[in-house]
Amino acid sequence: MSKQAIGSVLVVGGGIAGIQASLDLADSGYLVYLVEKNSAIGGVMSQLDKTFPTNDCSMCIISPKLVEVGRHLNIELLTLSEVQSISGEQGNFEIKLTQHPRYVDVDKCIACGICAEKCPKKVLNEYDAGLGKRKSIYLKYAQAVPLKYAIDENCIYFKKGKCKACEKFCPSDAINFDDKQKELTINAGAILIAPGSAVYDPSVYDTYGYKQSPNIVTSLEFERILAATGPFAGDLVRPSDKKAPAKIAWLQCVGSRDINTCDNSYCSSVCCMYANKQAVIAKEHCDDPLDTAIFFMDLRTYGKDFDKYNLRAQEDHGVRFIRSRIHSVFPDDDDKLRIVYATESGKRAEERFDMVVLSVGLSPGKDVAGLAEKMGVELNNHGFARTSCLSPVSTNREGIFVCGTFQEPKDIPHTVMEASASAAAATGNLSHARWSLTRVKEMPPEENVTGQKPRIGVFVCNCGINIGGVADVPAIRDYARDLTHVIHVEDNLFTCSQDNQDHIKQIIREKGINRVVVASCSPRTHEPLFQETIRDAGLNKYLFEMANIRDHNTWVHMDNPEKATEKAKDLVRMAVAKAAYSEPLHQVSLKISKAALVIGGGVSGMEAAVGIADQGRPVYLVEKSIELGGNAKFLGTTWQGEQIGPYLEDLVNRVKNHPDIELFMQTKVTGTTGTMGNFSTTLTSLNGEGKEIKIDHAVTVLATGGREKVPEQYLYGEHPHVMTQLDMDRAFSESDERLSGTKSVVFIQCVGSRIPERPYCSKICCTHSLKSALLLKNKNPKMKVYIVYRDIRSYGFREELYVQAREAGVIFIRYNLKNLPKVESLEDDHLSVTVTDHVLGMPVRLKPDLLVLASGIVPNANTALFEFFKVPVNSEGFLIEAHAKLRPVDFSSEGIFLAGLAHYPKPIEESIAQAKAAASRAMTILAKEEIMVGGVVASVEDARCAACLTCVRTCPYGIPKINEDSHAVIDSAECHGCGMCVSECPGKAISLQHFTDEQLLAKTSALFTSGG
Amino acid sequence: MKKFNIPHNFEFTSIITLYAQWIREGKLKVNSDWNRDLKIKFTLQDPCNIVRKTWGELMADDLRFVIKTIVGEENFVDMIPCGTNNFCCGGGGGALQAGLPEQRRAYGKVKFDQIIKTGANYVFAPCHNCHGQMEDIGEFYGGNYHVVHIWTIMCLAMGVLGENERAYLGPDLAKVGL
Amino acid sequence: MTSPIELDELYCDFKESVQASIPEANLDLCLTCGACTGGCPASELLDMDPRKLVRMVLLGMDDEVRKTPWAWVCTMCARCFKACPMKINIPKLVYSVRRSWPRDKAPKGIRGSCDQHIRAGNAMGVPSKDFIWVVEDVAEEIQENDPKFKDLKVTVDRKGAHLVINQNSREPVTEPDELGPLWKILHMVEADWTYPSVMWAGENYCLFLADEEGWKYILEEFVYHIDNNLGAKVVVNTE
């Protein structure tokens, strides 16, 4: 079947999951149809203000991905579209789609905004979570992709048959009221569903009064309040009177972990962290001290660096965390909100707040049940996609995969990880069809401008009224005419419009222009467009300069048009001065190795190896021990109850028998050179002879794992009936006699985790203890089972286990770091555990036959290996990924990826997903024959180099080397072009192409000479 | 009856439901004209038994519909919280006769504060337990509100309340509609 | 420091008995989140609160649970139940605690009212014939004094009446004048109604006492009377 497979993939849903999956797929040789039901992609992430745990601006980090999707030759973006039906099977699906009319011609719309300005119909702005208003003709948000307006069903013309104000005023004739619904049929080899989830509507919580007070908001509304693009322009004010609040409360678990008011028994996984983040960011927004209180049940900061974030929130920012579920919120005088709550000691306390944020959970999206039915995809009892822990991105139907919050509520890193994983899983059977449907752009030959005198064309954009409404654009244009080397000037209403691109090309050819300057908006969004335009006209793309006279000028100096005009002239003069020195730069293609090196033979390493090998690329898999399988060898079942043994056996067999995997057991890496595309690594055998072998590979996956920490407390190793969770699993599988006749078992959680030495949560131990406790209760329902814990962190659907454990009569007793459980061996050698009951405030004593310590996970120490690859580790020894949010399996050094426990403690399903993700990311490189390198990179002038090593020490990527001739070399194929070595080099021996001293000095000196 | 599975041939309803139904049907011709100038303020205790524990929001809505009809919407002030989330008066469940007056009154302080906060002169008590408890805590904590039955004010509004039927009214209403 | 409670020596008999009689009570599911306690006006009284009571039940502190007089301070108002994320029926738990009290140890006031109700059909112990006499007397007075109500009809046990209306015993016993307003309203809407002579009172102290036998007896008597003697379609609660 894979022989006839189609080399295209349908991705349903344009949130961050669909975006990441589409980019991975398109970059590794498949044509992607990305179907989005809204008028623009971006999903919930585009609505968020900041993201935890890095506090990055959400829009700033997603926006480049949006633009990339919009411009990608191999992603066909179908907005306002929905799947109607599918037929066929894995390898060849036929999908019928309905595309709803936009009523705006996307080829003509220049997103000037005049239509929306003139449109008389106001509607609630869903992008602002309903807090603000937008017009019936709208752009979802300023950075929307596609950046095209759309008309919704509230349009007055649709309702009453007249108006058409937008049509009258549209400068580019883009409005089309005759637009019709289209039925499309596409074919795809696989389908990915990533429709996301819905934000829980808290109206049913009548005791919280969400509908009664405007100062009670959902967490998503609060994101919009914090956001600079939100309804209050980023001012933190109460909706009722627009005054700055002095006290804000967050109520956790609204629409989560509740089977009474709502039916969402699961944990929504993200709310504890976003509440932490919102409280910290809210404090940063306020000039006056802001009091913040988070009312919670269990604090579930289980992810990487989450507990540290929480500690900072408490200790550095003074965010209050109060363990109490709130019964009611009462409206009080002055629009305040009164909360009465039970303290941990059982007293009732009362506080008044200016605002209350309801930390709402994630519900199944309202359309997903229908979508799943059309797809023939099963849902679980919560209404999310049903998956197995052992194939976490596969649905019940072959060829249809799932990722993101439709699978289970989860945060952005995990979503991005799964998105990549599902891309790898989806194409596992399509590799024969790779590159079969992709498109390649034909370019005209580049004109040689070397030696030519600069002939500069300057295009000044009015940007509708954005620039022209403030600055005097004709004056700027006329000013530019007199600048040196300028031979053509003009101004445009929108320089970026499609017809202007053709016009610019024509002018370049007619007038023999060899440098182009556009004075308009941000290069971040528009430079690639103009570069493409001049490249189409035969000019090297680096012969382009941009002056940002909008974002840096007319937007910020709106009240001072004269000075704005003068500043615009300065900026244009500087851009022209630099353009005169612009040089064409040529990227060169570099042939790359076809192979991958995977280090670590646990589940993560094996899954990554199989994932890559299934795509037809050779893999070297290196394992230092004598056996494959890692920690999975000791595990019985997943939390959902799937047997790990048979899965592992099958995986090991696939690895051993795969024609494209070469296995190196009892082997370690002893050195490596090279970078992405062309690594050369030395492997040394550990079994006696110490045989060495050198291999070439294009990418490296580090899956070096972690292990259960050996406890140093609670009589471990001293008393025979004290064991770790893995000891207990083993005891179970070996029918250990210590388990027979057991009447009472105690589990102690967080042993060695969440303490000052190891301030992180090991993520899996709560689930593990719950599972073990249930096994015990199952064996003997009369057995007394106690779990002594700090917070139960059964995130997502794992909450089911917590419910089951309580139902089975397991007793949960909470302790804290100030009052640890006391473990003793009594005179009769029986164990005694004394702990204070958290409700009664009284000591209780347990005399267990067995004490199980939920000991944390520590990473395997691989200092030398990590040094070879120059990959960073954090203070706990876990590998640091390139970006905690959007590049969770990449390293900053390109071509190296990570997966599994080496990254952070995680359950097997997440290790599998991360390993598949690593395979997907690796394939974006391995799929290519060659890579383009160079361009904006640093180059060394040998004669000036004193080999002082400054560049070597400065470079964050470790690229500069001192060669045999004693001067620095910076491989243009490896350089990232960040410019740090250039600025640090004391001998001025290094320059950055396109940002040379000559170019920058010309630009800065132009600032201080009044041109002409 | 549901608890003991006792079969029966009749259905159960509340007099409040009937009041609301009769007003809507026009059978019960009553309005709040009498209070247009007096502007006497009323609040309402939602009895746990018929509101939260039995008929829920429907009963809470019917109660307010009936009361607003007879005293005027502008003269009705709800407690915070109210309806299905209202606090119990503290006299329910037999507490009035449980012989623990100190605790019962401490419990009732919540209700007392709620009533005082409304600023109303009269509290409707559609339950005899609530009636007794609110009178008791009013006296104990020194509140100057009166506790009334709905039927009293309804008859007052219709001008048919006899002189001898005014035991629970304050001096401000002692002569109204006679 | 108080000596620790030896949990392994406790057995959750009380919890199991509650679960057997009220399987939907969800006691085991308690998250100790405190929503119940934060919303309960009886919290802290007698050093007890709903969360603590559930906890003691789950840990098996049956002796303390069975003895707590707090069971009579709690009014079983169900505000805790409304907000409990785990839908734990604390009112029914309290009812079970009350039920576990020996009848002679239960509060006198409630027990007495329950006994009266069983005996006479109302908590104040008024014999039916006295009730009928008071009703007729007050009705007569209204008919005579107010010409608008000269046709006022108040009946007891009128067969075939559409509505049967119950009456809190406080009015006929201590403040008969309070009966009038309701009758006037019923008269003005021309309601077809009657009082029952059996178990005519609106209150129910046996429920409060958690005396299930008494409660059940009252209901059975009442239902028998309505269905077999009167045949009313609707019973109207005036509480």
Side-chain angles (χ1 to χ4, degrees), chain A residues 235-293:
Chain A
D235 281 340
L236 175 50
V237 294
R238 312 201 284 185
S240 75
D241 56 7
K242 311 290 184 291
K243 285 189 187 143
K247 252 183 112 155
I248 306 181
W250 277 259
L251 312 191
Q252 298 306 107
C253 296
V254 178
S256 305
R257 303 181 68 193
D258 188 342
I259 56 169
N260 191 2
T261 308
C262 72
D263 211 9
N264 293 351
S265 59
Y266 55 86
C267 160
S268 289
S269 302
V270 294
C271 324
C272 279
M273 262 320 279
Y274 74 56
N276 263 272
K277 172 205 73 180
Q278 289 186 343
V280 168
I281 302 290
K283 278 175 174 274
E284 286 174 359
H285 268 60
C286 291
D287 298 331
D288 298 321
L290 173 72
D291 179 83
T292 54

Side-chain angles (χ1 to χ4, degrees), chain A residues 128-158:
Chain A
D128 275 341
L131 286 181
K133 292 271 174 73
R134 63 161 172 82
K135 296 297 184 61
S136 176
I137 185 163
Y138 69 104
L139 190 63
K140 203 175 159 207
Y141 51 99
Q143 302 83 349
V145 167
L147 196 71
K148 304 292 172 187
Y149 277 76
I151 301 179
D152 72 15
E153 70 283 358
N154 299 298
C155 168
I156 293 176
Y157 174 71
F158 295 146

Side-chain angles (χ1 to χ4, degrees), chain A residues 206-207 257-261 297 324-325 327-328 330 340-344 346-348 744 782 784 786 789 799 802-803 806-807 809 811-814 834 837-840 842-848, chain C residues 1-12 15-16 26 28-41 43-44 49 51-52 55-56 58-59 61 79-87:
Chain A
D206 58 347
T207 65
R257 303 181 68 193
D258 188 342
I259 56 169
N260 191 2
T261 308
M297 303 205 290
S324 188
R325 188 177 173 90
H327 185 291
S328 293
F330 304 133
V340 182
Y341 62 92
T343 65
E344 285 189 63
K347 299 264 178 288
R348 289 203 304 160
S744 172
K782 290 268 171 228
K784 293 253 187 186
Y786 304 93
Y789 72 105
E799 185 75 3
Y802 187 22
V803 174
R806 298 199 310 278
E807 235 159 17
I811 294 289
F812 291 82
I813 305 173
R814 194 167 61 236
T834 312
D837 182 79
H838 60 286
V839 175
L840 304 178
M842 292 196 287
V844 294
R845 182 152 70 169
L846 320 166
K847 289 184 189 159
Chain C
M1 198 168 159
T2 42
S3 61
I5 304 165
E6 300 284 348
L7 286 192
D8 287 309
E9 289 162 23
L10 296 176
Y11 296 92
C12 302
K15 180 189 94 176
E16 273 163 29
N26 283 0
D28 274 326
L29 291 187
C30 181
L31 288 162
T32 67
C33 71
C36 51
T37 299
C40 171
S43 289
E44 297 184 63
D49 61 61
R51 169 170 59 181
K52 203 166 163 180
R55 186 69 178 174
M56 288 164 72
L58 293 191
L59 295 183
M61 297 164 71
R79 209 167 171 268
C80 49
F81 183 41
K82 178 179 170 66
C84 174
M86 291 295 117
K87 215 175 178 174

Side-chain angles (χ1 to χ4, degrees), chain B residues 53 93 97 128 160 168, chain C residues 76 98 171 175 184 205 235:
Chain B
K53 294 176 79 169
Q97 303 204 37
H128 282 76
V160 298
Y168 292 108
Chain C
M76 305 187 282
R98 288 187 180 190
E171 277 92 25
E175 43 194 21
K184 290 178 181 175
Y205 279 84
V235 169

Side-chain angles (χ1 to χ4, degrees), chain A residues 247-249 291-293 295 320 322 328-330 332 336-341 343 348-354 356:
Chain A
K247 252 183 112 155
I248 306 181
D291 179 83
T292 54
F295 293 93
R320 294 186 294 139
I322 302 170
S328 293
V329 179
F330 304 133
D332 206 37
K336 284 190 191 285
L337 300 156
R338 189 165 64 97
I339 287 177
V340 182
Y341 62 92
T343 65
R348 289 203 304 160
E350 184 174 326
E351 291 192 45
R352 282 170 173 73
F353 294 91
D354 297 297
V356 168

Side-chain angles (χ1 to χ4, degrees), chain A residues 774-802:
Chain A
L774 277 166
L775 270 175
L776 293 168
K777 276 285 191 184
N778 207 15
K779 227 175 111 186
N780 174 11
K782 290 268 171 228
M783 193 188 294
K784 293 253 187 186
V785 179
Y786 304 93
I787 296 185
V788 180
Y789 72 105
R790 290 171 60 193
D791 292 278
I792 292 293
R793 293 185 164 177
S794 46
Y795 59 97
F797 302 140
R798 290 158 197 80
E799 185 75 3
E800 285 171 16
L801 292 181
Y802 187 22

Side-chain angles (χ1 to χ4, degrees), chain A residues 602-795:
Chain A
V603 160
S604 299
M606 288 193 288
E607 281 281 359
V610 168
I612 295 169
D614 279 351
Q615 302 265 358
R617 293 294 182 268
V619 178
Y620 304 108
L621 176 60
V622 177
E623 164 60 40
K624 70 179 168 195
S625 78
I626 198 161
E627 206 180 349
L628 290 170
N631 290 303
K633 293 196 297 278
F634 314 120
L635 301 176
T637 63
T638 67
W639 81 262
Q640 294 195 107
E642 295 105 347
Q643 292 293 328
I644 290 173
Y647 155 80
L648 188 63
E649 198 180 324
D650 177 60
L651 183 61
V652 168
N653 283 334
R654 280 164 71 199
V655 165
K656 286 183 173 163
N657 302 324
H658 205 297
D660 283 322
I661 297 178
E662 191 173 341
L663 193 53
F664 295 88
M665 295 303 294
Q666 286 181 280
T667 300
K668 72 177 201 176
V669 171
T670 48
T672 190
T673 57
T675 48
M676 173 170 85
N678 293 293
F679 288 100
S680 175
T681 298
T682 310
L683 307 179
T684 305
S685 167
L686 294 170
N687 62 351
E689 317 122 63
K691 206 174 75 187
E692 275 193 10
I693 177 174
K694 253 192 174 34
I695 55 160
D696 292 329
H697 53 106
V699 297
T700 308
V701 177
L702 299 176
T704 51
R707 64 189 189 281
E708 185 182 63
K709 186 169 183 327
V710 178
E712 292 153 5
Q713 60 274 72
Y714 298 132
L715 302 182
Y716 185 78
E718 294 169 39
H719 193 289
H721 288 203
V722 180
M723 45 176 72
T724 66
Q725 286 175 318
L726 287 184
D727 294 339
M728 164 93 169
D729 287 355
R730 202 172 300 124
F732 247 115
S733 63
E734 291 166 4
S735 308
D736 192 309
E737 61 167 24
R738 285 176 294 179
L739 258 65
S740 62
T742 313
K743 290 197 194 70
S744 172
V745 177
V746 171
F747 292 81
I748 299 180
Q749 299 302 111
C750 294
V751 176
S753 296
R754 299 180 67 200
I755 52 173
E757 302 95 282
R758 243 166 273 106
Y760 62 90
C761 166
S762 291
K763 203 176 183 179
I764 58 171
C765 341
C766 281
T767 311
H768 200 150
S769 291
L770 291 168
K771 208 174 69 181
S772 302
L774 277 166
L775 270 175
L776 293 168
K777 276 285 191 184
N778 207 15
K779 227 175 111 186
N780 174 11
K782 290 268 171 228
M783 193 188 294
K784 293 253 187 186
V785 179
Y786 304 93
I787 296 185
V788 180
Y789 72 105
R790 290 171 60 193
D791 292 278
I792 292 293
R793 293 185 164 177
S794 46
Y795 59 97

